[in-house]
Amino acid sequence: LAIIREMVRQLSLSLEIVGCPIVREKDGLAMSSRNTLLSMEERERALTISRALFRSQDYARENSLANTRQFVENMIAGTSGLELEYFQIVDGNTLQELKEWDDSDYVVGCIALFCGKIRLIDNLKYKG
């Protein structure tokens, strides 16, 4: 969404970009055609992604940005079969990594990882 908004801005297009919430499966996994490529066991492991992100929202209320990032990384590392590519907490408009919660009014956590051979992505808004 941030990339599309920036592209529209740079090209001076007369468009309004309207974001919408991520569509999720009933169990919380972000809906994606890639989910169909997961085995039942891998899909069960993949649920750690949304669980980590949702739990980190509560954790973030009382903890630093760095500790929140570590919290998510530890949850992913604690699940065999998941290989974290990145988890960054960024400004939702610029995608620039943040050091403190107060560095932006729009804060988003972005994650990419491999569950087996399948690359999965997700994100979650912390603020804004």
Side-chain angles (χ1 to χ4, degrees):
L1 182 60
I3 292 168
I4 298 298
R5 283 183 173 151
E6 181 61 16
M7 183 179 71
V8 167
R9 188 194 67 75
Q10 286 183 17
L11 295 173
S12 300
L13 299 174
S14 180
L15 298 173
E16 179 185 3
I17 305 300
V18 179
C20 63
I22 292 175
V23 178
R24 296 188 177 276
E25 305 280 353
K26 288 181 183 179
D27 58 13
L29 190 63
M31 198 172 280
S32 168
S33 59
R34 287 175 261 174
N35 295 349
T36 63
L37 303 173
L38 298 170
S39 70
M40 287 178 58
E41 185 178 279
E42 288 171 332
R43 194 176 189 304
E44 195 61 37
R45 286 186 196 138
L47 293 175
T48 301
I49 302 165
S50 57
R51 288 179 186 144
L53 291 176
F54 291 135
R55 288 180 186 163
S56 74
Q57 274 185 318
D58 292 331
Y59 185 87
R61 290 185 184 102
E62 302 291 328
N63 290 278
S64 71
L65 189 145
N67 286 347
T68 301
R69 186 174 50 244
Q70 191 64 55
F71 176 83
V72 171
E73 291 173 355
N74 288 346
M75 281 192 73
I76 300 301
T79 303
S80 66
L82 297 182
E83 182 183 335
L84 184 65
E85 184 177 340
Y86 65 82
F87 175 65
Q88 297 295 322
I89 299 176
V90 301
D91 179 290
N93 293 312
T94 66
L95 301 181
Q96 295 300 304
E97 186 175 2
L98 302 175
K99 301 291 182 202
E100 304 292 334
W101 293 119
D102 291 336
D103 289 346
S104 174
D105 292 329
Y106 182 29
V107 181
V108 178
C110 302
I111 193 166
L113 55 79
F114 284 88
C115 183
K117 294 182 180 184
I118 309 303
R119 185 175 186 264
L120 300 173
I121 61 172
D122 203 342
N123 68 76
L124 183 82
K125 182 168 56 171
Y126 289 100
K127 183 168 88 170

